[in-house]
Amino acid sequence: MVNHNGKITSQTNISIEQNRAFLYGDAVFETLKTLDGKVLFAEDHYFRLMSSMRILRMEIPVFFTQEYLEQQISSLLDTFEENHSSYRIRITCYRQSGGKYTPENRGIDYIITAEPLPNAAYAINNGHYEVEIFKDFHISKHLLSTLKTTNKLVSITAGIFAEENGYQNCLLINDDKNIVEATQSNIFLVKGNTVATPKSEDGCLNGIMRKQIIQLIEKSDNLTFEERSISPFELQKADELFLTNTIQGIQPITKYRKKEFQTNISTQLLGRLNAKIRFGL
């Protein structure tokens, strides 16, 4: 079942021949995680979605409030015959049909989908996780690169490259050859007690989990945070590398080329993340 413009249905019957998300990638989306019926970091997701639509000059309906979207998610989850502790939710907002590159109108439609997740709380995965830098295409350093649009061809081709070459993920670089992110995650680098992540001006996604992890680092007594450009040459000198996104939480990188990494800080931060979710710590 899906939620299409507030209507729960098994088939949307959308005509892709006129759909601007299909024709031009004229859409943005949010991927959320629910836990025991509650959307995690709901306010952050909502404001990022609103900001993305405004940047793309989409007309946002007056009823499109945070409360409205949470209600629509809840209505969709109520259709599941078996209740699950956690779900992966995707909200896709796309401009209504009409026009070529320039739209005839700026109104939006939306689709909400849901699928159960195997784990309720975030869990660390210390299994083998090797990455390589993807060099065929680059991320551009501009505002659109920081949005979750439906144009993800760089990440898609990087994911195919990783699969074909036996890697678990690929790291994307920008036009300056600095590290930006992974195919579906932000990246953090640990050296000593300092944790760094690429700055948004380098083209990285404005990740919701990225924001949560930055806040946890800044509140830590034993860690220092830096937001800066990261050169590929720094990767093999790091003590740890880890990835973050809303669904996985934290994924440690265990190997990059000949360097194998610890997972101490990522494990520590994951414990704090779960405590924040459960107890507001």
Side-chain angles (χ1 to χ4, degrees), residues 106-156:
R106 301 184 183 182
I108 63 145
D109 292 325
Y110 70 87
I111 295 174
I112 304 175
T113 58
E115 59 183 273
L117 291 173
N119 298 317
Y122 290 113
I124 203 76
N125 176 12
N126 287 322
H128 180 75
Y129 200 92
E130 185 176 359
V131 301
E132 181 52 89
I133 294 176
F134 182 64
K135 300 178 181 179
D136 291 1
F137 305 110
H138 300 163
I139 299 292
S140 298
K141 293 170 55 178
H142 56 60
L143 184 59
L144 290 182
S145 296
T146 70
L147 310 183
K148 294 196 75 169
T149 71
T150 51
N151 182 352
K152 290 295 181 183
L153 291 178
V154 176
S155 292
I156 290 167

Side-chain angles (χ1 to χ4, degrees), residues 30-281:
E30 284 290 315
T31 306
L32 311 91
K33 177 184 171 80
T34 65
L35 182 62
D36 298 331
K38 178 183 178 182
V39 177
L40 299 182
F41 322 121
E43 186 175 273
D44 289 331
H45 281 290
Y46 175 75
F47 282 115
R48 184 174 67 173
L49 180 61
M50 295 301 105
S51 175
S52 298
M53 288 195 287
R54 290 190 182 100
I55 290 169
L56 296 181
R57 306 295 195 271
M58 293 178 172
E59 289 184 357
I60 305 170
V62 293
F63 62 82
F64 217 62
T65 64
Q66 179 180 332
E67 293 74 18
Y68 173 82
L69 285 177
E70 290 186 75
Q71 181 184 37
Q72 296 306 312
I73 292 170
S74 179
S75 296
L76 178 59
L77 296 184
D78 286 342
T79 65
F80 281 78
E81 294 182 2
E82 182 180 352
N83 185 38
H84 298 268
S85 297
S86 186
Y87 292 85
R88 180 187 188 274
I89 308 294
R90 173 168 165 146
I91 305 173
T92 304
C93 298
Y94 56 96
R95 211 183 311 260
Q96 292 170 352
S97 299
K100 302 297 190 236
Y101 285 117
T102 302
E104 290 181 354
N105 67 75
R106 301 184 183 182
I108 63 145
D109 292 325
Y110 70 87
I111 295 174
I112 304 175
T113 58
E115 59 183 273
L117 291 173
N119 298 317
Y122 290 113
I124 203 76
N125 176 12
N126 287 322
H128 180 75
Y129 200 92
E130 185 176 359
V131 301
E132 181 52 89
I133 294 176
F134 182 64
K135 300 178 181 179
D136 291 1
F137 305 110
H138 300 163
I139 299 292
S140 298
K141 293 170 55 178
H142 56 60
L143 184 59
L144 290 182
S145 296
T146 70
L147 310 183
K148 294 196 75 169
T149 71
T150 51
N151 182 352
K152 290 295 181 183
L153 291 178
V154 176
S155 292
I156 290 167
T157 52
I160 293 171
F161 174 86
E163 184 180 76
E164 290 178 343
N165 291 277
Y167 300 113
Q168 280 64 56
N169 210 326
C170 273
L171 304 182
L172 310 181
I173 56 177
N174 61 20
D175 298 328
D176 294 334
K177 306 300 190 293
N178 287 322
I179 301 297
V180 177
E181 58 195 11
T183 58
Q184 78 287 36
S185 311
N186 290 110
I187 184 170
F188 288 78
L189 178 151
V190 181
K191 182 66 176 177
N193 291 326
T194 300
V195 186
T197 196
K199 57 185 180 180
S200 58
E201 290 83 358
D202 279 347
C204 73
L205 177 71
N206 181 23
I208 301 303
M209 185 55 67
R210 175 182 182 271
K211 177 181 178 181
Q212 301 302 318
I213 297 303
I214 289 173
Q215 291 175 350
L216 291 175
I217 295 168
E218 290 178 332
K219 291 180 180 178
S220 174
D221 295 329
N222 63 326
L223 297 175
T224 301
F225 173 69
E226 292 181 351
E227 186 178 17
R228 58 175 176 80
S229 297
I230 294 177
S231 164
F233 299 107
E234 296 182 62
L235 298 180
Q236 294 187 74
K237 297 180 181 180
D239 298 321
E240 291 188 41
L241 299 173
F242 62 87
L243 308 177
T244 64
N245 66 37
T246 296
I247 301 302
Q248 290 180 299
I250 297 176
Q251 170 61 59
I253 294 172
T254 61
K255 187 176 181 181
Y256 167 68
R257 297 187 178 175
K258 295 183 179 180
K259 179 66 180 289
E260 296 187 359
F261 300 97
Q262 307 171 14
T263 61
N264 299 327
I265 301 301
S266 54
T267 302
Q268 177 189 134
L269 288 170
L270 189 85
R272 295 178 184 177
L273 175 64
N274 280 326
K276 178 178 181 178
I277 292 169
R278 290 292 189 182
F279 310 112
L281 300 178

